[in-house]
Amino acid sequence: MRVVALEEHVSIPELMARLAPAALAARGWPRPDRLPARMAAAELAEAGPQRLADMDRAGINMQVLSAGGPGADLLDPAEGLRFARDHNNGLWRIADRHPTRFSAFAHLPMTAPEAAADELERAVADLGFKGAMINGTINGLFLDDARFEPILARAERLGIPLYLHPGLPPEPVRRAYYSGLPDEAGLLLSGPGFGWHAETAIHVLRLVLAGALDRHPGLKLIVGHMGEGLPAMMGRIEETFAEFGTRHLGRSVTQTLLDQLWITTSGFFTLPPFLAALLAFGADRLLFSVDYPFSSNRTAAEFLASLPVSPDDRRKIAHANADALLGLSV
C-alpha cells in the first residue's frame, strides 16, 4: 500500500547559519546541545540515502518536506524574503532529485505578508510545492490578524492548504505559563509536552472566531498531532459557542472546522487520540504523518498498519486523502 507522510522536516545547514544565536535565544529556541539525541541536527539535514533507506524500511513511499522550526520569521522582512526563497529553492532541489519520494511545503517570509503571498505563488506555480507550513505565531500575532489577509487570500485562490504547525510561544507567554520549573520541564511543557498543541488549537479557533474562514470558505487548513486536541473538544466547543459570541459568523464553529480542517497523525501513535479524531472528523479528513525525525518512521508505520479501520479507510489515511488534497502524482 502506498504511504504518504505529510509533516516531515528538513533543515538546510548553510541557511540555518544565517540565524543569529541571539535571535534564536530571544524566541526561546534552545541551544542544539540541549536537544535530545533523537532530535539531532544531522537527521534534519540529511535528505538523501539515509532518509530514503529509513523510509524504505518503514514502507513509506513519499515525504512532504518542510521547515519545522525557526527561519525567515527571525529576520527583517527583506532578509526574510531572501531566506525563504533560498530555503524553497533548496527544498526544490531535494525534491527534484527524487521526485517520486519527496514533495514540499513552502517556507514563507511571514514578517512581509505581501511578499509571503507572492513567494507562496512562486513556490506552487514554479516549484510545484503543495502548500505552505506556518510555524506558530509571527511576532506574537496569529493569522487572523488583518495584515496576513494577503496570505490567506492567495492560498485560497491557489487552492492549496496551509499547514499550521506549532512554534515556541512568545516570551510573555513563556514567562507567565512555563517559567520556574526545574531542568527542562518548562521548555518541554511549552513545546511538545503540551503548550504548542494548545497554541495551535487556539490558532485554528481564532481563524474561525475572527471570521477569517467565513471570508475564505475555500481555504484549506491542516494541523498535525492528531488535531492538536480539537477533536476531543468538539462537543464542548459546540456547546460553548452555540448561542453567544458567534452571531457574526455564517456557520457554527464546529461546522467550519469540519468544512475546512484536515488532521494528520504526526507524532501521536496511540488509539485514544486517533479514535477521537476519527469520530469527530471522519476518515476522509485524516492524513498519515510521522513528524520525522522527531518521531520514528517505523513506529508510525506500525501504528498505521494496526489501526482498527476498514481497508478502504486505511487506504484513505495512508495516501488517498493526501493525494486528493495536495494533488500528488501517483
mmCIF file of all heavy atoms in Angstrom, residues 6-46:
data_model
loop_
_atom_site.group_PDB
_atom_site.id
_atom_site.type_symbol
_atom_site.label_atom_id
_atom_site.label_comp_id
_atom_site.label_asym_id
_atom_site.label_seq_id
_atom_site.Cartn_x
_atom_site.Cartn_y
_atom_site.Cartn_z
ATOM 1 N N LEU A 6 3.097 13.549 5.666
ATOM 2 C CA LEU A 6 2.953 14.980 5.356
ATOM 3 C C LEU A 6 3.751 15.939 6.230
ATOM 4 O O LEU A 6 4.007 17.060 5.802
ATOM 5 C CB LEU A 6 1.482 15.389 5.457
ATOM 6 C CG LEU A 6 0.678 15.321 4.162
ATOM 7 C CD1 LEU A 6 0.404 13.867 3.794
ATOM 8 C CD2 LEU A 6 -0.626 16.080 4.309
ATOM 9 N N GLU A 7 4.086 15.561 7.443
ATOM 10 C CA GLU A 7 4.773 16.511 8.325
ATOM 11 C C GLU A 7 6.181 15.992 8.604
ATOM 12 O O GLU A 7 6.485 15.500 9.686
ATOM 13 C CB GLU A 7 4.006 16.711 9.635
ATOM 14 C CG GLU A 7 4.582 17.855 10.469
ATOM 15 C CD GLU A 7 3.971 17.970 11.852
ATOM 16 O OE1 GLU A 7 2.728 17.929 11.957
ATOM 17 O OE2 GLU A 7 4.740 18.100 12.816
ATOM 18 N N GLU A 8 7.041 16.151 7.616
ATOM 19 C CA GLU A 8 8.380 15.556 7.681
ATOM 20 C C GLU A 8 9.401 16.665 7.455
ATOM 21 O O GLU A 8 9.384 17.330 6.421
ATOM 22 C CB GLU A 8 8.500 14.443 6.636
ATOM 23 C CG GLU A 8 7.253 13.547 6.536
ATOM 24 C CD GLU A 8 6.733 13.022 7.868
ATOM 25 O OE1 GLU A 8 7.556 12.664 8.728
ATOM 26 O OE2 GLU A 8 5.498 12.986 8.059
ATOM 27 N N HIS A 9 10.276 16.844 8.413
ATOM 28 C CA HIS A 9 11.051 18.071 8.476
ATOM 29 C C HIS A 9 12.468 17.908 7.948
ATOM 30 O O HIS A 9 13.064 16.822 7.991
ATOM 31 C CB HIS A 9 11.087 18.573 9.917
ATOM 32 C CG HIS A 9 9.716 18.816 10.473
ATOM 33 N ND1 HIS A 9 8.821 19.672 9.873
ATOM 34 C CD2 HIS A 9 9.077 18.308 11.558
ATOM 35 C CE1 HIS A 9 7.705 19.686 10.573
ATOM 36 N NE2 HIS A 9 7.828 18.859 11.595
ATOM 37 N N VAL A 10 12.986 19.020 7.473
ATOM 38 C CA VAL A 10 14.341 19.061 6.953
ATOM 39 C C VAL A 10 14.916 20.441 7.241
ATOM 40 O O VAL A 10 14.173 21.433 7.329
ATOM 41 C CB VAL A 10 14.347 18.773 5.427
ATOM 42 C CG1 VAL A 10 13.660 19.879 4.644
ATOM 43 C CG2 VAL A 10 15.748 18.535 4.906
ATOM 44 N N SER A 11 16.206 20.509 7.442
ATOM 45 C CA SER A 11 16.873 21.800 7.584
ATOM 46 C C SER A 11 18.008 21.874 6.578
ATOM 47 O O SER A 11 18.523 20.848 6.124
ATOM 48 C CB SER A 11 17.407 22.005 9.003
ATOM 49 O OG SER A 11 18.477 21.108 9.255
ATOM 50 N N ILE A 12 18.393 23.092 6.235
ATOM 51 C CA ILE A 12 19.486 23.327 5.296
ATOM 52 C C ILE A 12 20.568 24.068 6.078
ATOM 53 O O ILE A 12 20.413 25.251 6.389
ATOM 54 C CB ILE A 12 19.006 24.132 4.087
ATOM 55 C CG1 ILE A 12 17.877 23.355 3.360
ATOM 56 C CG2 ILE A 12 20.151 24.427 3.126
ATOM 57 C CD1 ILE A 12 17.214 24.123 2.241
ATOM 58 N N PRO A 13 21.646 23.374 6.462
ATOM 59 C CA PRO A 13 22.601 23.949 7.423
ATOM 60 C C PRO A 13 23.149 25.311 7.036
ATOM 61 O O PRO A 13 23.288 26.188 7.897
ATOM 62 C CB PRO A 13 23.700 22.880 7.480
ATOM 63 C CG PRO A 13 23.001 21.608 7.147
ATOM 64 C CD PRO A 13 21.973 21.975 6.126
ATOM 65 N N GLU A 14 23.460 25.513 5.757
ATOM 66 C CA GLU A 14 24.040 26.800 5.374
ATOM 67 C C GLU A 14 23.052 27.947 5.551
ATOM 68 O O GLU A 14 23.448 29.096 5.785
ATOM 69 C CB GLU A 14 24.556 26.754 3.935
ATOM 70 C CG GLU A 14 23.524 26.405 2.892
ATOM 71 C CD GLU A 14 23.466 24.902 2.598
ATOM 72 O OE1 GLU A 14 23.779 24.103 3.501
ATOM 73 O OE2 GLU A 14 23.100 24.556 1.452
ATOM 74 N N LEU A 15 21.760 27.648 5.471
ATOM 75 C CA LEU A 15 20.762 28.676 5.733
ATOM 76 C C LEU A 15 20.565 28.887 7.227
ATOM 77 O O LEU A 15 20.425 30.026 7.694
ATOM 78 C CB LEU A 15 19.437 28.298 5.080
ATOM 79 C CG LEU A 15 19.406 28.304 3.557
ATOM 80 C CD1 LEU A 15 18.029 27.930 3.055
ATOM 81 C CD2 LEU A 15 19.811 29.661 3.003
ATOM 82 N N MET A 16 20.563 27.809 7.987
ATOM 83 C CA MET A 16 20.404 27.954 9.429
ATOM 84 C C MET A 16 21.542 28.766 10.030
ATOM 85 O O MET A 16 21.367 29.448 11.050
ATOM 86 C CB MET A 16 20.328 26.584 10.086
ATOM 87 C CG MET A 16 19.130 25.744 9.632
ATOM 88 S SD MET A 16 17.536 26.583 9.852
ATOM 89 C CE MET A 16 17.447 26.625 11.646
ATOM 90 N N ALA A 17 22.698 28.725 9.397
ATOM 91 C CA ALA A 17 23.841 29.501 9.887
ATOM 92 C C ALA A 17 23.595 31.004 9.780
ATOM 93 O O ALA A 17 24.294 31.797 10.421
ATOM 94 C CB ALA A 17 25.104 29.118 9.117
ATOM 95 N N ARG A 18 22.627 31.415 8.979
ATOM 96 C CA ARG A 18 22.299 32.841 8.855
ATOM 97 C C ARG A 18 21.528 33.359 10.082
ATOM 98 O O ARG A 18 21.373 34.582 10.244
ATOM 99 C CB ARG A 18 21.444 33.094 7.618
ATOM 100 C CG ARG A 18 22.105 32.795 6.285
ATOM 101 C CD ARG A 18 21.169 33.252 5.176
ATOM 102 N NE ARG A 18 21.533 32.740 3.869
ATOM 103 C CZ ARG A 18 20.819 32.927 2.769
ATOM 104 N NH1 ARG A 18 19.683 33.631 2.844
ATOM 105 N NH2 ARG A 18 21.201 32.422 1.613
ATOM 106 N N LEU A 19 20.997 32.474 10.885
ATOM 107 C CA LEU A 19 20.173 32.883 12.019
ATOM 108 C C LEU A 19 21.065 33.135 13.225
ATOM 109 O O LEU A 19 21.766 32.244 13.697
ATOM 110 C CB LEU A 19 19.144 31.798 12.336
ATOM 111 C CG LEU A 19 18.224 31.404 11.184
ATOM 112 C CD1 LEU A 19 17.274 30.281 11.613
ATOM 113 C CD2 LEU A 19 17.443 32.599 10.650
ATOM 114 N N ALA A 20 21.034 34.357 13.725
ATOM 115 C CA ALA A 20 21.898 34.736 14.832
ATOM 116 C C ALA A 20 21.497 34.006 16.100
ATOM 117 O O ALA A 20 20.297 33.895 16.421
ATOM 118 C CB ALA A 20 21.817 36.242 15.060
ATOM 119 N N PRO A 21 22.465 33.489 16.858
ATOM 120 C CA PRO A 21 22.132 32.821 18.128
ATOM 121 C C PRO A 21 21.296 33.684 19.053
ATOM 122 O O PRO A 21 20.415 33.168 19.753
ATOM 123 C CB PRO A 21 23.517 32.517 18.714
ATOM 124 C CG PRO A 21 24.419 32.395 17.528
ATOM 125 C CD PRO A 21 23.908 33.412 16.545
ATOM 126 N N ALA A 22 21.548 34.992 19.060
ATOM 127 C CA ALA A 22 20.768 35.865 19.939
ATOM 128 C C ALA A 22 19.302 35.906 19.529
ATOM 129 O O ALA A 22 18.404 35.948 20.386
ATOM 130 C CB ALA A 22 21.359 37.272 19.918
ATOM 131 N N ALA A 23 19.044 35.886 18.216
ATOM 132 C CA ALA A 23 17.658 35.892 17.747
ATOM 133 C C ALA A 23 16.959 34.587 18.099
ATOM 134 O O ALA A 23 15.788 34.578 18.485
ATOM 135 C CB ALA A 23 17.622 36.124 16.237
ATOM 136 N N LEU A 24 17.684 33.483 17.978
ATOM 137 C CA LEU A 24 17.120 32.195 18.361
ATOM 138 C C LEU A 24 16.803 32.159 19.853
ATOM 139 O O LEU A 24 15.724 31.719 20.267
ATOM 140 C CB LEU A 24 18.092 31.067 18.005
ATOM 141 C CG LEU A 24 18.262 30.769 16.510
ATOM 142 C CD1 LEU A 24 19.496 29.907 16.282
ATOM 143 C CD2 LEU A 24 17.032 30.068 15.963
ATOM 144 N N ALA A 25 17.739 32.632 20.654
ATOM 145 C CA ALA A 25 17.544 32.617 22.103
ATOM 146 C C ALA A 25 16.375 33.509 22.511
ATOM 147 O O ALA A 25 15.601 33.169 23.422
ATOM 148 C CB ALA A 25 18.824 33.053 22.800
ATOM 149 N N ALA A 26 16.224 34.648 21.842
ATOM 150 C CA ALA A 26 15.148 35.566 22.186
ATOM 151 C C ALA A 26 13.776 34.948 21.945
ATOM 152 O O ALA A 26 12.804 35.284 22.633
ATOM 153 C CB ALA A 26 15.284 36.864 21.375
ATOM 154 N N ARG A 27 13.675 34.052 20.968
ATOM 155 C CA ARG A 27 12.425 33.372 20.696
ATOM 156 C C ARG A 27 12.262 32.093 21.500
ATOM 157 O O ARG A 27 11.265 31.380 21.363
ATOM 158 C CB ARG A 27 12.318 33.059 19.201
ATOM 159 C CG ARG A 27 11.945 34.258 18.347
ATOM 160 C CD ARG A 27 10.542 34.777 18.639
ATOM 161 N NE ARG A 27 9.532 33.736 18.431
ATOM 162 C CZ ARG A 27 8.965 33.501 17.263
ATOM 163 N NH1 ARG A 27 9.290 34.234 16.205
ATOM 164 N NH2 ARG A 27 8.070 32.552 17.152
ATOM 165 N N GLY A 28 13.258 31.771 22.339
ATOM 166 C CA GLY A 28 13.133 30.614 23.204
ATOM 167 C C GLY A 28 13.649 29.325 22.628
ATOM 168 O O GLY A 28 13.485 28.256 23.238
ATOM 169 N N TRP A 29 14.290 29.378 21.450
ATOM 170 C CA TRP A 29 14.824 28.149 20.868
ATOM 171 C C TRP A 29 16.068 27.727 21.643
ATOM 172 O O TRP A 29 16.976 28.517 21.840
ATOM 173 C CB TRP A 29 15.156 28.341 19.392
ATOM 174 C CG TRP A 29 13.937 28.479 18.560
ATOM 175 C CD1 TRP A 29 13.397 29.635 18.100
ATOM 176 C CD2 TRP A 29 13.071 27.427 18.119
ATOM 177 N NE1 TRP A 29 12.246 29.386 17.395
ATOM 178 C CE2 TRP A 29 12.024 28.038 17.389
ATOM 179 C CE3 TRP A 29 13.074 26.040 18.267
ATOM 180 C CZ2 TRP A 29 11.001 27.297 16.815
ATOM 181 C CZ3 TRP A 29 12.055 25.307 17.687
ATOM 182 C CH2 TRP A 29 11.037 25.929 16.970
ATOM 183 N N PRO A 30 16.111 26.480 22.079
ATOM 184 C CA PRO A 30 17.254 26.035 22.888
ATOM 185 C C PRO A 30 18.491 25.818 22.049
ATOM 186 O O PRO A 30 18.417 25.635 20.825
ATOM 187 C CB PRO A 30 16.769 24.698 23.470
ATOM 188 C CG PRO A 30 15.788 24.204 22.465
ATOM 189 C CD PRO A 30 15.100 25.428 21.910
ATOM 190 N N ARG A 31 19.630 25.861 22.695
ATOM 191 C CA ARG A 31 20.870 25.516 22.015
ATOM 192 C C ARG A 31 20.801 24.067 21.542
ATOM 193 O O ARG A 31 20.184 23.216 22.189
ATOM 194 C CB ARG A 31 22.066 25.670 22.956
ATOM 195 C CG ARG A 31 22.258 27.054 23.516
ATOM 196 C CD ARG A 31 23.581 27.126 24.295
ATOM 197 N NE ARG A 31 23.722 26.011 25.226
ATOM 198 C CZ ARG A 31 23.314 26.042 26.496
ATOM 199 N NH1 ARG A 31 22.717 27.121 26.973
ATOM 200 N NH2 ARG A 31 23.474 24.992 27.294
ATOM 201 N N PRO A 32 21.441 23.756 20.385
ATOM 202 C CA PRO A 32 21.382 22.376 19.881
ATOM 203 C C PRO A 32 21.852 21.353 20.895
ATOM 204 O O PRO A 32 21.344 20.228 20.908
ATOM 205 C CB PRO A 32 22.296 22.421 18.648
ATOM 206 C CG PRO A 32 22.236 23.840 18.192
ATOM 207 C CD PRO A 32 22.126 24.655 19.455
ATOM 208 N N ASP A 33 22.810 21.732 21.765
ATOM 209 C CA ASP A 33 23.313 20.737 22.702
ATOM 210 C C ASP A 33 22.327 20.442 23.835
ATOM 211 O O ASP A 33 22.550 19.543 24.646
ATOM 212 C CB ASP A 33 24.668 21.171 23.287
ATOM 213 C CG ASP A 33 24.594 22.483 24.058
ATOM 214 O OD1 ASP A 33 23.512 23.108 24.091
ATOM 215 O OD2 ASP A 33 25.624 22.892 24.611
ATOM 216 N N ARG A 34 21.217 21.178 23.892
ATOM 217 C CA ARG A 34 20.184 20.896 24.893
ATOM 218 C C ARG A 34 19.077 20.005 24.340
ATOM 219 O O ARG A 34 18.221 19.553 25.075
ATOM 220 C CB ARG A 34 19.562 22.194 25.404
ATOM 221 C CG ARG A 34 20.522 23.080 26.196
ATOM 222 C CD ARG A 34 19.835 24.337 26.674
ATOM 223 N NE ARG A 34 18.774 24.059 27.643
ATOM 224 C CZ ARG A 34 17.826 24.936 27.982
ATOM 225 N NH1 ARG A 34 17.807 26.135 27.420
ATOM 226 N NH2 ARG A 34 16.911 24.625 28.877
ATOM 227 N N LEU A 35 19.089 19.775 23.028
ATOM 228 C CA LEU A 35 18.050 18.952 22.440
ATOM 229 C C LEU A 35 18.337 17.478 22.673
ATOM 230 O O LEU A 35 19.496 17.063 22.700
ATOM 231 C CB LEU A 35 17.970 19.214 20.929
ATOM 232 C CG LEU A 35 17.573 20.627 20.512
ATOM 233 C CD1 LEU A 35 17.658 20.758 19.014
ATOM 234 C CD2 LEU A 35 16.162 20.944 20.990
ATOM 235 N N PRO A 36 17.296 16.662 22.823
ATOM 236 C CA PRO A 36 17.522 15.229 22.949
ATOM 237 C C PRO A 36 18.252 14.674 21.740
ATOM 238 O O PRO A 36 18.167 15.205 20.632
ATOM 239 C CB PRO A 36 16.099 14.664 23.041
ATOM 240 C CG PRO A 36 15.266 15.800 23.513
ATOM 241 C CD PRO A 36 15.899 17.046 22.955
ATOM 242 N N ALA A 37 18.963 13.586 21.947
ATOM 243 C CA ALA A 37 19.758 12.998 20.865
ATOM 244 C C ALA A 37 18.898 12.649 19.660
ATOM 245 O O ALA A 37 19.358 12.728 18.511
ATOM 246 C CB ALA A 37 20.491 11.762 21.377
ATOM 247 N N ARG A 38 17.639 12.262 19.892
ATOM 248 C CA ARG A 38 16.799 11.868 18.766
ATOM 249 C C ARG A 38 16.403 13.048 17.899
ATOM 250 O O ARG A 38 15.823 12.876 16.828
ATOM 251 C CB ARG A 38 15.545 11.144 19.276
ATOM 252 C CG ARG A 38 14.612 12.015 20.091
ATOM 253 C CD ARG A 38 13.470 11.173 20.671
ATOM 254 N NE ARG A 38 12.580 11.949 21.510
ATOM 255 C CZ ARG A 38 11.538 12.645 21.067
ATOM 256 N NH1 ARG A 38 11.279 12.655 19.777
ATOM 257 N NH2 ARG A 38 10.764 13.297 21.904
ATOM 258 N N MET A 39 16.677 14.253 18.349
ATOM 259 C CA MET A 39 16.382 15.445 17.564
ATOM 260 C C MET A 39 17.656 16.007 16.952
ATOM 261 O O MET A 39 17.785 17.202 16.735
ATOM 262 C CB MET A 39 15.686 16.490 18.435
ATOM 263 C CG MET A 39 14.350 16.033 18.999
ATOM 264 S SD MET A 39 13.723 17.088 20.319
ATOM 265 C CE MET A 39 13.360 18.588 19.435
ATOM 266 N N ALA A 40 18.611 15.150 16.668
ATOM 267 C CA ALA A 40 19.922 15.577 16.203
ATOM 268 C C ALA A 40 19.814 16.351 14.902
ATOM 269 O O ALA A 40 19.034 16.002 14.007
ATOM 270 C CB ALA A 40 20.833 14.370 16.024
ATOM 271 N N ALA A 41 20.635 17.397 14.804
ATOM 272 C CA ALA A 41 20.630 18.224 13.602
ATOM 273 C C ALA A 41 21.010 17.427 12.372
ATOM 274 O O ALA A 41 20.549 17.726 11.256
ATOM 275 C CB ALA A 41 21.586 19.400 13.797
ATOM 276 N N ALA A 42 21.836 16.398 12.544
ATOM 277 C CA ALA A 42 22.274 15.608 11.391
ATOM 278 C C ALA A 42 21.103 14.936 10.695
ATOM 279 O O ALA A 42 21.068 14.850 9.457
ATOM 280 C CB ALA A 42 23.302 14.565 11.835
ATOM 281 N N GLU A 43 20.131 14.459 11.461
ATOM 282 C CA GLU A 43 18.972 13.808 10.850
ATOM 283 C C GLU A 43 18.106 14.804 10.090
ATOM 284 O O GLU A 43 17.540 14.481 9.051
ATOM 285 C CB GLU A 43 18.146 13.109 11.928
ATOM 286 C CG GLU A 43 18.836 11.919 12.569
ATOM 287 C CD GLU A 43 17.996 11.335 13.684
ATOM 288 O OE1 GLU A 43 17.807 12.037 14.703
ATOM 289 O OE2 GLU A 43 17.531 10.199 13.533
ATOM 290 N N LEU A 44 17.991 16.007 10.627
ATOM 291 C CA LEU A 44 17.230 17.031 9.923
ATOM 292 C C LEU A 44 17.898 17.434 8.620
ATOM 293 O O LEU A 44 17.228 17.701 7.620
ATOM 294 C CB LEU A 44 17.077 18.271 10.813
ATOM 295 C CG LEU A 44 15.982 18.249 11.866
ATOM 296 C CD1 LEU A 44 16.172 19.395 12.848
ATOM 297 C CD2 LEU A 44 14.610 18.334 11.209
ATOM 298 N N ALA A 45 19.218 17.485 8.621
ATOM 299 C CA ALA A 45 19.957 17.993 7.468
ATOM 300 C C ALA A 45 20.113 16.967 6.364
ATOM 301 O O ALA A 45 20.384 17.340 5.220
ATOM 302 C CB ALA A 45 21.330 18.493 7.914
ATOM 303 N N GLU A 46 19.958 15.683 6.667
ATOM 304 C CA GLU A 46 20.179 14.639 5.669
ATOM 305 C C GLU A 46 18.874 14.344 4.935
ATOM 306 O O GLU A 46 17.871 13.966 5.542
ATOM 307 C CB GLU A 46 20.695 13.362 6.351
ATOM 308 C CG GLU A 46 21.437 12.417 5.427
ATOM 309 C CD GLU A 46 20.529 11.584 4.539
ATOM 310 O OE1 GLU A 46 19.405 11.235 4.969
ATOM 311 O OE2 GLU A 46 20.935 11.280 3.411
#
